[in-house]
Amino acid sequence: MKYALINCKLLNGKKDMTVEEGKSILVDGEKIVGITSAGEADLSGYKTIDLKGKYIMPGLINMHVHLAGNGKPQKKQRDNAKLVKTVMSTALTRKIAYKLVCGYAKDELMSGVTTIRTMGGISDFDGKLRDEIACGKKIGPRILAANQGISVPNGHMAGSVAVAVTNEDEARRRVEVAKSQNVDLVKVMVTGGVLDAKEKGVPGELKMPAEIISAVCEKAHEEGYKVAAHAESPEGVKVALENGVDSIEHGAKPSPEIIKLFKERGAFLCTTISPAVPYALFDRSLSRITETEQFNGKVVFDGIIDCAKAAVENDIPVVLGNDVGCPWIAQYEFWRELFYFHKYIGVSNAFALYTATARSAEMAGIGDVTGTIEVGKSADMIVTEENPLDDLRVLRNVKTVISRGKIYDNPKIKRNEKIVAELDKFLI
């Protein structure tokens, strides 16, 4: 299909983006083939679609997703390993679980996210869905899949969306398994999280020995893969960077040594403010966590913010992910991460948009494919009624989603109103 989007107000996704009035965007199949000013293009052979002055920008890129979760608030902490074991026990339950994963991916797309980077999933579901979306069998965003992460016994998400290894040889073999599944990157769980900390002030305890991190990175790099590391403490970030990871997921209060390591490694930070908000800032009667868990949640929240601020100040690349699947964080709520990045890190709306589009595509290794509205790029775009440069909250109501050239007008999403109501309290 060839079509021309006319009468656009264009935001191209680049760092210096401004509103370009009266633009026409020509699409042929999956690709953008022309961008012109009004009246300059030869539109013969193109179906014209008048955007009537609406704003168009690149589709958002969510760099930290767990497709197996829906973000529904929990009354108590659940045993994720036991749940996944049950899910994978029969053909019927596996089929149901995969169907849910497919639905959550569709929610990402319908909310304006045209690319996701998965950071730990059930079995090989993420890679399987990636391929089905790519060939048109399923509806969803472009997926960069890690499939199951690599953890250690009693480590973060071991037995659920990560597989535990006990030594360097097992770690290398897990990379080989990932390669056999044709993954796009490798994920390691270097530290614990908030809920597995036993004392106040020690979330993100180092779980994975340095030699295992090093073995994973060496093998992954040999096979051509980047390695992303879950790390939520200064010690964890330091050890992860020292042993070769390419990105830090979440982050923690950085020292000058950590900043130096980021630069020496050429590593980037994927900041994830969204999942820390409920743990740190919700009343405990709502979040249903202990005083210790809330205290540790605030440590992680502050550490993520400090790390992101330091990264921005020191020209360390930052991308955004909302760790979707965590309690209170739904698949359609990524736009909030942009708002939090602006609110808590202090960046401009334009920089937040750039971070979630062009910068993320570049760091994910697909900057030649998507992330900006340019001739030759994939037609991955979203349309809003109002200008997101003025108010990022307009991204919650995307009017049109275009993914690889396919148009989805007035996308529908079933939202959890309890999640919406509680999180909206932090949009000021």
Side-chain angles (χ1 to χ4, degrees):
M1 181 179 176
K2 295 173 67 174
Y3 58 86
L5 302 165
I6 65 171
N7 196 16
C8 307
K9 292 178 180 175
L10 173 63
L11 301 174
N12 62 23
K14 296 181 180 180
K15 192 172 184 179
D16 59 352
M17 77 181 90
T18 57
V19 177
E20 300 175 59
E21 301 260 1
K23 291 294 183 178
S24 297
I25 303 171
L26 281 60
V27 177
D28 187 350
E30 296 187 2
K31 299 286 188 179
I32 298 169
V33 296
I35 301 172
T36 67
S37 297
E40 292 181 356
D42 178 5
L43 302 183
S44 56
Y46 289 85
K47 176 184 177 181
T48 58
I49 301 171
D50 190 350
L51 292 190
K52 299 178 180 179
K54 294 185 179 71
Y55 295 83
I56 190 166
M57 61 171 284
L60 302 177
I61 300 176
N62 189 346
M63 291 284 279
H64 194 114
V65 171
H66 299 283
L67 278 177
N70 62 9
K72 185 178 179 181
Q74 301 170 17
K75 292 183 179 180
K76 62 179 181 179
Q77 188 176 355
R78 65 189 180 191
D79 186 335
N80 289 310
K82 182 179 179 181
L83 177 61
V84 170
K85 184 177 181 180
T86 300
V87 162
M88 298 301 289
S89 63
T90 71
L92 177 60
T93 52
R94 288 195 297 272
K95 184 177 180 180
I96 292 170
Y98 184 64
K99 185 176 181 180
L100 288 172
V101 165
C102 295
Y104 299 150
K106 185 176 179 180
D107 284 346
E108 289 276 350
L109 181 63
M110 294 300 114
S111 70
V113 175
T114 55
T115 299
I116 63 173
R117 178 171 166 260
T118 67
M119 290 284 102
I122 296 175
S123 185
D124 62 348
F125 285 5
D126 295 350
K128 178 183 176 182
L129 179 56
R130 171 201 61 200
D131 296 342
E132 290 193 321
I133 290 170
C135 69
K137 291 182 178 180
K138 292 283 194 300
I139 295 173
R142 175 181 287 100
I143 296 177
L144 302 175
N147 288 351
Q148 289 175 296
I150 300 173
S151 189
V152 292
N154 300 312
H156 191 62
M157 306 305 281
S160 58
V161 298
V163 175
V165 300
T166 61
N167 57 52
E168 297 161 67
D169 287 340
E170 288 182 9
R172 294 187 187 96
R173 285 196 292 271
R174 279 309 307 175
V175 176
E176 290 174 354
V177 170
K179 180 184 178 182
S180 73
Q181 297 173 345
N182 195 30
V183 298
D184 299 290
L185 70 156
V186 173
K187 171 75 178 296
V188 289
M189 308 295 188
V190 170
T191 74
V194 172
L195 297 182
D196 55 16
K198 305 305 181 187
E199 300 175 10
K200 279 187 177 182
V202 290
E205 180 183 7
L206 183 64
K207 299 283 189 179
M208 183 172 281
E211 58 269 21
I212 291 182
I213 303 170
S214 181
V216 169
C217 290
E218 181 180 336
K219 180 63 176 176
H221 293 156
E222 179 184 310
E223 299 293 350
Y225 298 118
K226 300 288 188 182
V227 180
H230 167 99
E232 292 188 345
S233 65
E235 181 185 17
V237 171
K238 178 175 176 291
V239 172
L241 290 170
E242 285 176 334
N243 287 280
V245 305
D246 301 286
S247 72
I248 295 294
E249 310 294 310
H250 316 301
K253 187 175 180 63
S255 63
E257 183 182 11
I258 285 174
I259 296 299
K260 183 181 178 183
L261 283 168
F262 263 110
K263 293 190 172 186
E264 288 176 349
R265 278 286 310 137
F268 65 92
L269 172 69
C270 181
T271 193
T272 57
I273 301 169
S274 293
V277 167
Y279 286 119
L281 305 182
F282 276 17
D283 187 278
R284 287 196 293 113
S285 64
L286 183 64
S287 60
R288 296 188 173 95
I289 59 177
T290 67
E291 180 185 358
T292 295
E293 289 167 345
Q294 185 175 55
F295 183 93
N296 288 333
K298 187 65 165 58
V299 170
V300 169
F301 177 76
D302 291 342
I304 287 171
I305 289 172
D306 287 344
C307 199
K309 284 182 175 179
V312 171
E313 290 168 2
N314 286 277
D315 294 321
I316 294 164
V318 179
V319 299
L320 304 180
N322 66 341
D323 205 3
V324 61
C326 289
W328 298 93
I329 312 304
Q331 299 286 351
Y332 46 80
E333 296 279 26
F334 177 59
W335 65 271
R336 292 183 190 272
E337 189 68 28
L338 281 74
F339 184 88
Y340 296 149
F341 193 49
H342 163 69
K343 177 180 178 177
Y344 295 111
I345 311 305
V347 303
S348 68
N349 288 350
F351 191 83
L353 291 171
Y354 157 70
T355 299
T357 54
R359 174 49 66 91
S360 289
E362 177 191 356
M363 292 298 103
I366 54 172
D368 59 336
V369 175
T370 191
T372 58
I373 298 179
E374 293 183 87
V375 172
K377 295 284 186 76
S378 180
D380 299 335
M381 300 175 280
I382 57 176
V383 177
T384 60
E385 195 78 44
E386 305 297 331
N387 186 0
L389 290 178
D390 294 335
D391 188 346
L392 292 168
R393 290 172 292 188
V394 307
L395 295 171
R396 79 186 305 166
N397 293 310
V398 174
K399 299 302 180 184
T400 302
V401 176
I402 303 171
S403 177
R404 303 192 222 211
K406 189 167 184 178
I407 299 173
Y408 302 91
D409 277 322
N410 300 308
K412 305 298 182 186
I413 296 169
K414 185 177 180 181
R415 291 180 167 89
N416 183 314
E417 294 305 323
K418 183 177 181 181
I419 290 176
V420 170
E422 294 301 330
L423 291 179
D424 277 0
K425 295 174 183 178
F426 298 91
L427 294 180
I428 54 174

